[in-house]
Amino acid sequence: MKRGLSLLVAKLLNLIYPLMKKIPVKFLPVQIENMMALLTHTGRHLQRYDSKGCRQIVGCIPYRYRKTGELPCVEEMEVLLISSQNGNGMLFPKGGWEINESMEDAAKRETLEEAGVTGNVEDRLGKWRYKSKSRPVVHEGYMFSLLVNKQFDLWPEKNNRERRWASVTKAREVCQQWWMREALDELVPKTQNSPSSPTVKQIKYWEKEDHRK
């Protein structure tokens, strides 16, 4: 019942989205802003394939910073994982790169659809070729880092996936995809010297979000 209602809301939003997206986010009620996150792409008729017929996959490692330990100045990076569609294991959001969007836009879209967060797409972490677990085909995967600045209460795949913030160490233990673990290893050194270290305002926002749960 809930899933059917979510799909109905998403269809209605698709009709009015062209008008609503012209309204600055700061003027939208939080409930409407969250509902707009239900919009999603469906179908594979726009999917990109390379010259060898490999489907091109793009994803993100969403991350944020938290204060930890006894020293208030100590910051720890956390990454966001999601459950696989069959519920067996955790991974980072990813999906097909479509012909009408840039690689970065595809990464951001898939992260919003599957994990319900958005933010700034930063570094490209690498390219991998891997075998699909559901079909006897090879995919070409690209991963980016994404510094999260917004987490939605509603998102397209909320009823199908669990999302979980974890330390880098824990994420490396539970992530089921070997190539995503390699992408995570690429992310860590890039963020250590990144100019996008968190502001006090950003850290307080995440602490407030946790208290709401």
Side-chain angles (χ1 to χ4, degrees):
M1 179 64 181
K2 290 183 179 179
R3 177 174 172 78
L5 181 60
S6 295
L7 292 174
L8 176 60
V9 171
K11 289 180 180 179
L12 292 174
L13 285 172
N14 274 312
L15 295 177
I16 62 175
Y17 180 67
L19 296 176
M20 294 182 66
K21 70 178 182 179
K22 296 179 181 180
I23 303 174
V25 172
K26 63 181 180 180
F27 295 125
L28 291 174
V30 174
Q31 294 87 347
I32 299 298
E33 183 184 353
N34 285 342
M35 288 174 67
M36 289 182 71
L38 285 169
L39 299 175
T40 183
H41 288 199
T42 57
R44 292 190 176 182
H45 61 287
L46 296 177
Q47 295 295 291
R48 290 179 185 259
Y49 296 84
D50 68 6
S51 59
K52 297 182 179 180
C54 293
R55 184 177 176 222
Q56 295 181 303
I57 303 296
V58 182
C60 277
I61 299 182
Y63 74 97
R64 69 183 186 186
Y65 294 95
R66 298 295 305 273
K67 287 185 178 181
T68 60
E70 298 180 359
L71 297 176
C73 61
V74 176
E75 295 160 357
E76 177 184 305
M77 185 176 73
E78 293 181 324
V79 294
L80 184 63
L81 299 113
I82 58 173
S83 59
S84 61
Q85 287 185 321
N86 59 19
N88 297 325
M90 304 295 288
L91 67 162
F92 296 112
K94 51 87 178 165
W97 177 19
E98 300 184 354
I99 59 177
N100 61 348
E101 60 189 348
S102 68
M103 191 179 291
E104 291 80 3
D105 286 343
K108 192 171 185 177
R109 173 179 56 77
E110 289 292 342
T111 302
L112 175 60
E113 291 178 2
E114 295 189 350
V117 297
T118 189
N120 301 319
V121 177
E122 298 178 328
D123 298 307
R124 175 172 151 179
L125 302 174
K127 178 177 74 172
W128 293 265
R129 282 181 176 265
Y130 66 96
K131 291 183 179 180
S132 169
K133 291 189 174 183
S134 59
R135 282 177 256 177
V137 295
V138 176
H139 293 322
E140 184 176 77
Y142 300 83
M143 291 295 288
F144 289 82
S145 58
L146 182 142
L147 180 59
V148 174
N149 59 28
K150 181 66 177 178
Q151 179 170 304
F152 294 95
D153 297 322
L154 299 174
W155 69 98
E157 299 192 19
K158 177 178 181 178
N159 294 328
N160 300 323
R161 297 184 189 272
E162 173 192 352
R163 65 183 178 190
R164 182 190 311 164
W165 286 100
S167 67
V168 171
T169 301
K170 184 63 177 179
R172 191 179 288 113
E173 292 176 0
V174 301
C175 182
Q176 65 180 17
Q177 299 280 4
W178 65 267
W179 62 282
M180 289 186 174
R181 293 194 297 271
E182 289 190 1
L184 182 59
D185 290 337
E186 292 293 325
L187 169 66
V188 175
K190 290 181 181 295
T191 56
Q192 289 177 345
N193 300 315
S194 173
S196 59
S197 58
T199 63
V200 173
K201 180 179 179 181
Q202 191 172 18
I203 292 173
K204 286 184 176 179
Y205 168 77
W206 286 116
E207 290 176 344
K208 181 179 178 181
E209 286 293 300
D210 278 355
H211 284 309
R212 289 174 55 191
K213 295 178 182 178

